[in-house]
Amino acid sequence: MAMSEPVIETSAPLLTIEGLKVHFPVTKGFFLQKQIGSIKAVDGVSFELRRGETFGLVGESGCGKSTTALAILRMLTLTAGRIVFEGSDITNYTEDQMRPIRQRMQMVYQDPYGSLNPRMRVRHIIGEPLAVHGVNRRSDRYRKRVDELIDLVGLLPDMADRYPHEFSGGQRQRIGIARALALAPSLLICDEPVSALDVSIQAQVINLLTDLQAELGLTILFIAHDLSIVRHISDRVGVMYLGRIVETASRDELFDHPKHPYTQALLNAVPVPDPEVESRREEILIQGEVPSVRNPPAGCHFHPRCPVAVPQCRLQAPALLPTAKGAMVSCHLVHSGEGVARVHGGAWGQSKGSE
Amino acid sequence: MGKRLLEVEDLSVTFRTDRGIVRAVDSVSLHVDEGETLAIVGESGSGKSVTALSILGLIGDADSGRIERGRISFEGQDLIQQNDAVLRRIRGNRIAMIFQEPMSSLNPVLTIGKQVAEPIRLHQGASRAEAYEQAAELLKKVAIPDAAERLNDFPHQFSGGMRQRVMIAMALACRPKLIIADEPTTALDVTVQAQILSLLKELTREANSALILITHDLGVVARYADRVTVMYAGRIVETASARELYANPRHPYTQGLMESIPGLATEVGARLITIEGQPPDLANLPRGCAFSPRCKYSQDVCLQKPPTLETISQDHERACYGYE
C-alpha cells in the first residue's frame, strides 16, 4: 500500500457492495417452522470503500450497521446483492475460498471483555489468527510477529504472557486491534471500537487507529453511533436508517451540509460539547422512535417521523441518487429539485476546524 | 437561582470488598439550589452514582456500604440522621430518582398504571381512582400516546424510550423538589435521548424542581446543565457554571477531558490530545492527589496529600495545588 504511488487515487475501490440484502426469516411453530415473514435487517445497501480511507457508518441501534459488517465478512447468509473485494466478486465464495480473503479483512469488536478468551495468554490471543492460518506456535516467525504486534499497538513486551483480566478496557482493545492486524489485512472493520471505553481512554484508541492507518495504509470501515468521533476519524460517512442507506457524503459535506432529513435530525439530536454553541442552537426534535424493523413503514422508512414528508414518500421508497456535491442521498424531495430546507440549526458546521 | 435546597458536606462513603475497604466517595461537598440543574460528570468508578444513592439514603448494609462521615442537608433536614420511616416519606415524594435502565427499574409483573399511581397513593393518600386519574394525566404529560388506555399495559409492551418516559412520570408524580437522574438516556438512541432530556428539562422547569443529572456525556452537560461538578476517583476535582467550566477549565483532569473530545479543542482529523494512563484502582489509590500519576503538572506536593476543594473565583471551585 505504498503512499508513493499516486495512482491509488484513481484505482478501483478496495471494497464495493451493491444492493446488499440480509433478511432473517421469522418462523412460527415448533416442528414445522413455517416462515411467516422476514426481518429485513439490511435491505439494499450500497457503498464503496476507497483504498486507505476511513468510511464511517452511523445510525441508531437496529439500523443494520453491524449486520452489514458481518455480511461483508460473509459471516451471514446474503439474501441478495454483490460484494467485490480487491477486485474479486466474493459474493458466492465457498468457505474454502473465503479463508484467504478473511486474512485480508479483519474485525475489531465493541466489547473488549467479551471478545478476548479469558483463558488464553495475550501472546496466543494475538497470535491465534497466525496459528489458524498455519504458522507454528513454537516457531520464531510466530514469536517475532507477536512481539512486533504488541509493540505496534503500544503494549509492553512483558505483557505478552499475561491474561486478559490483568488489563484495563483500553489495553484490551489494543490487544483486539493487534489480533486483527496479525495477518496484515488491507481492510479493518471496527464495530463500535471505543463505545465501551471511558472518555479519557477513547482518545488513546482513536489515535492508535489513525496512527496504524497511516503506517500500514489500512482501509477502515468504522461503525459507531458517536458522531463527534465519526466526524474526527472518517473521510466519508454513510448514514443508515432501518436497513437502508439514506445518505453518503464526504465528512465535511455531511456534517456541514446534511441533505437527508434524517441526517439533519440525527446531527441536531446530538448535543455538541460546548455550552456556547448549544445556547445558540435551536433544538428541533423529530418525533417518535425508530419503528420496528419487523414491520417498517411503507415507502421511505423515515416518512412517519419526517417533518417535510409529502404523499409520495408514503408510497414509494426513494432511490439512493447522486447530488451535485458528490454525495448520495435517498430522498424524493432532495431530488425533485425542491430540496430540503435545513430543519436544524447547523451547529456542527460552526464548530472548529473544517479543514 | 432560588435558595439552597440541598447541601452535601464532606461526604465519605466506604464499601467493604474482597480487597479491603474501598472509599468510593471521599470528602464530597456540593450544593443544589431550587430549580437549577447540576450535572455530575465523571468516568466509571468516579463516585457519581454512589453520591446520588447516598443522597437518597440508599447506601445500606445490604451492599456492605457505609456512610463514613458527612452531612446531607435537604430543605434544612440532615438526611443522614433520619431513620428509615422518615426517609421513606422523603423518597419518591420530595426527592425522586430516575435510573439508567428503564427495563430493570420497572416491575415487570405490575401494570404501568399501578406503578405510576403507587407514589401518589403512598405519599398523597389519594384513593385508587384519583391516583389512576392522576397517573393518566402524568403519562399524557410525558407524551405517551393514548395514555389512559395504556395504564393497563405491562412494561414489556413499551419501548425503551417509552419506559423512560414512564420513569419520568413516576418521578414527577409528587412534584418533588429534587430529581436525581442517573445516566437517564445512556441506554437510548440519540434521537430519543434528545426527546427525553428536553422533556425532563421542560417538566422540571415547569414544576420548579431541581435536577441532578449524572452523566459521562459532555455534550449532554453542555446542552442541559446550569452548573457542573467533575469527579475523579471518588473526589470532586472541579465545580463551576457550565459556561465557565467549558470556557475555562482549571483542573488538569477537566482540561484533559475537554481536550480529548474530538472537535472541541482539536481540529477535525488532527491527533487527539489524550490523558495518558488509566483511571486509578480505588482499592489502591496513590497517597496524594489521585490524578497525579496522569497529571503533566504533578509536583512533590501533589504526592503528599490530596488537595482540597477551594474557591478560585465566583462559582468556580477546584481541588488542585496549582500548576500556573
Side-chain angles (χ1 to χ4, degrees):
Chain A
M1 210 92 2
M3 305 268 225
S4 52
E5 290 176 49
V7 200
I8 278 169
E9 266 308 300
T10 53
S11 68
L14 183 78
L15 175 83
T16 308
I17 65 174
E18 281 169 19
L20 190 73
K21 291 186 183 184
V22 180
H23 296 178
F24 297 107
V26 180
T27 55
K28 194 181 169 183
F30 192 67
F31 290 112
L32 287 170
Q33 299 254 317
K34 202 170 75 178
Q35 185 174 342
I36 54 165
S38 62
I39 290 177
K40 297 174 178 167
V42 174
D43 198 25
V45 164
S46 306
F47 59 83
E48 58 178 44
L49 302 188
R50 300 170 193 163
R51 284 177 194 271
E53 79 169 348
T54 299
F55 185 82
L57 193 56
V58 302
E60 299 179 89
S61 52
C63 71
K65 31 188 213 305
S66 297
T67 309
T68 302
L70 293 175
I72 291 169
L73 288 162
R74 293 274 328 276
M75 282 154 79
L76 292 169
T77 312
L78 308 183
T79 308
R82 213 162 80 91
I83 304 174
V84 178
F85 177 69
E86 294 189 326
S88 333
D89 184 335
I90 63 166
T91 317
N92 297 309
Y93 269 25
T94 61
E95 271 303 297
D96 276 352
Q97 286 174 303
M98 273 312 287
R99 275 175 78 86
I101 299 294
R102 292 215 181 99
Q103 299 182 25
R104 311 285 301 148
M105 41 164 93
Q106 286 280 318
M107 181 116 170
V108 176
Y109 297 90
Q110 172 173 12
D111 179 4
Y113 295 85
S115 57
L116 303 180
N117 186 336
R119 305 174 69 158
M120 275 167 83
R121 288 182 199 276
V122 165
R123 171 179 301 285
H124 294 306
I125 290 175
I126 294 175
E128 198 177 15
L130 298 169
V132 167
H133 288 276
V135 180
N136 189 322
R137 284 171 52 157
R138 287 193 195 81
S139 67
D140 267 4
R141 187 177 150 213
Y142 181 92
R143 200 173 38 82
K144 265 177 73 183
R145 179 66 181 150
V146 171
D147 289 345
E148 211 175 275
L149 289 161
I150 284 178
D151 182 56
L152 190 65
V153 298
L155 296 171
L156 300 172
D158 66 326
M159 291 174 171
D161 292 305
R162 297 201 214 152
Y163 289 94
H165 75 263
E166 297 173 69
F167 293 89
S168 66
Q171 287 173 322
R172 285 172 201 236
Q173 208 54 307
R174 287 174 194 267
I175 297 169
I177 292 169
R179 173 177 60 188
L181 295 175
L183 297 164
S186 54
L187 171 63
L188 200 61
I189 299 178
C190 302
D191 190 0
E192 300 272 10
V194 299
S195 59
L197 305 176
D198 273 327
V199 183
S200 73
I201 306 299
Q202 287 185 349
Q204 297 176 3
V205 174
I206 294 295
N207 278 347
L208 173 66
L209 283 172
T210 48
D211 290 350
L212 289 170
Q213 178 168 41
E215 207 174 319
L216 307 171
L218 292 167
T219 305
I220 298 180
L221 175 60
F222 191 89
I223 299 173
H225 67 274
D226 184 328
L227 292 178
S228 41
I229 290 177
V230 169
R231 182 182 193 209
H232 174 79
I233 201 170
S234 307
D235 299 304
R236 289 189 307 128
V237 181
V239 182
M240 285 188 75
Y241 188 76
L242 277 182
R244 294 178 184 161
I245 297 257
V246 298
E247 182 163 3
T248 61
S250 71
R251 177 203 40 223
D252 292 341
E253 181 67 13
L254 191 106
F255 281 94
D256 297 345
H257 310 286
K259 296 284 186 304
H260 196 284
Y262 176 65
T263 312
Q264 298 181 347
L266 196 65
L267 292 185
N268 186 247
V270 179
V272 176
D274 184 340
E276 291 295 330
V277 172
E278 280 298 334
S279 67
R280 287 199 305 266
R281 202 151 100 130
E282 195 184 347
E283 190 174 43
I284 297 156
L285 301 172
I286 49 168
Q287 297 306 309
E289 296 177 24
V290 182
S292 162
V293 69
R294 272 184 86 147
N295 189 17
C300 171
H301 287 346
F302 187 60
H303 84 256
R305 303 175 76 191
C306 183
V308 290
V310 295
Q312 189 192 6
C313 305
R314 271 185 280 278
L315 304 170
Q316 192 190 354
L320 191 65
L321 298 171
T323 68
K325 284 280 178 62
M328 302 283 282
V329 183
S330 131
C331 176
H332 292 307
L333 288 164
V334 168
H335 295 296
S336 68
E338 292 168 38
V340 177
R342 279 289 275 283
V343 295
H344 80 87
W348 285 85
Q350 290 160 9
S351 61
K352 289 168 208 159
S354 313
E355 287 192 306
Chain B
M1 278 303 128
K3 60 182 206 280
R4 194 63 37 101
L5 178 70
L6 173 82
E7 181 123 37
V8 175
E9 276 173 274
D10 202 24
L11 178 75
S12 293
V13 182
T14 55
F15 288 88
R16 267 197 324 273
T17 71
D18 298 344
R19 303 175 56 214
I21 302 280
V22 166
R23 190 167 289 115
V25 169
D26 192 359
S27 318
V28 160
S29 298
L30 54 84
H31 69 265
V32 180
D33 290 335
E34 278 183 352
E36 79 166 340
T37 297
L38 172 74
I40 304 182
V41 189
E43 301 177 274
S44 46
S46 60
K48 47 195 200 304
S49 295
V50 175
T51 303
L53 293 175
S54 310
I55 295 167
L56 289 160
L58 292 176
I59 299 293
D61 298 331
D63 50 10
S64 69
R66 193 173 75 85
I67 292 184
E68 199 177 38
R69 58 159 201 272
R71 232 167 58 85
I72 299 174
S73 155
F74 175 74
E75 296 187 312
Q77 241 180 339
D78 186 354
L79 297 183
I80 293 178
Q81 304 302 324
Q82 308 300 328
N83 60 32
D84 275 355
V86 175
L87 286 177
R88 269 200 299 274
R89 279 201 295 279
I90 293 172
R91 277 196 298 259
N93 189 18
R94 310 294 297 158
I95 305 178
M97 177 97 185
I98 298 168
F99 294 94
Q100 174 173 356
E101 275 292 326
M103 188 55 153
S104 48
S105 26
L106 288 169
N107 188 330
V109 297
L110 298 180
T111 62
I112 292 294
K114 193 169 170 66
Q115 296 186 63
V116 180
E118 187 186 347
I120 304 168
R121 296 186 69 185
L122 191 69
H123 294 296
Q124 302 184 343
S127 73
R128 203 188 113 90
E130 282 166 9
Y132 270 72
E133 203 171 296
Q134 278 188 45
E137 208 48 49
L138 283 163
L139 291 186
K140 207 155 111 195
K141 212 168 189 170
V142 295
I144 288 181
D146 311 318
E149 286 98 275
R150 300 217 64 179
L151 286 177
N152 296 321
D153 284 354
F154 289 90
H156 74 266
Q157 291 163 293
F158 284 66
S159 69
M162 286 294 164
R163 279 189 216 120
Q164 203 55 302
R165 287 173 194 270
V166 172
M167 292 298 295
I168 293 175
M170 286 168 71
L172 290 168
C174 299
R175 300 180 76 85
K177 293 302 286 179
L178 175 64
I179 295 174
I180 302 176
D182 190 355
E183 304 267 9
T185 55
T186 306
L188 305 175
D189 279 326
V190 285
T191 54
V192 180
Q193 163 177 305
Q195 294 167 4
I196 296 286
L197 286 173
S198 15
L199 177 73
L200 190 58
K201 187 83 185 171
E202 183 193 314
L203 294 177
T204 47
R205 191 177 295 142
E206 198 183 297
N208 196 30
S209 305
L211 178 65
I212 295 181
L213 183 63
I214 297 175
T215 179
H216 65 274
D217 185 332
L218 289 169
V220 167
V221 172
R223 188 178 283 188
Y224 300 101
D226 300 313
R227 287 193 306 122
V228 191
T229 280
V230 183
M231 290 188 75
Y232 186 78
R235 285 174 162 265
I236 292 180
V237 295
E238 187 160 8
T239 298
S241 70
R243 275 173 187 242
E244 167 77 4
L245 190 88
Y246 282 77
N248 187 21
R250 296 289 297 280
H251 192 283
Y253 173 65
T254 318
Q255 294 171 352
L257 215 52
M258 299 281 177
E259 283 169 356
S260 63
I261 304 173
L264 191 57
T266 48
E267 298 277 303
V268 168
R271 227 184 132 68
L272 294 174
I273 302 161
T274 63
I275 306 177
E276 289 309 317
Q278 291 134 36
D281 176 2
L282 285 180
N284 190 17
L285 283 179
R287 190 151 67 105
C289 171
F291 187 63
S292 62
R294 304 175 76 184
C295 181
K296 55 186 170 191
Y297 304 111
S298 179
Q299 341 158 20
D300 288 344
V301 61
C302 307
L303 310 177
Q304 303 307 317
K305 84 189 223 311
T308 50
L309 201 59
E310 272 161 30
T311 305
I312 49 172
S313 64
Q314 204 206 344
D315 210 22
H316 196 155
E317 299 167 285
R318 72 159 179 190
C320 178
Y321 289 112
Y323 49 85
E324 289 89 356

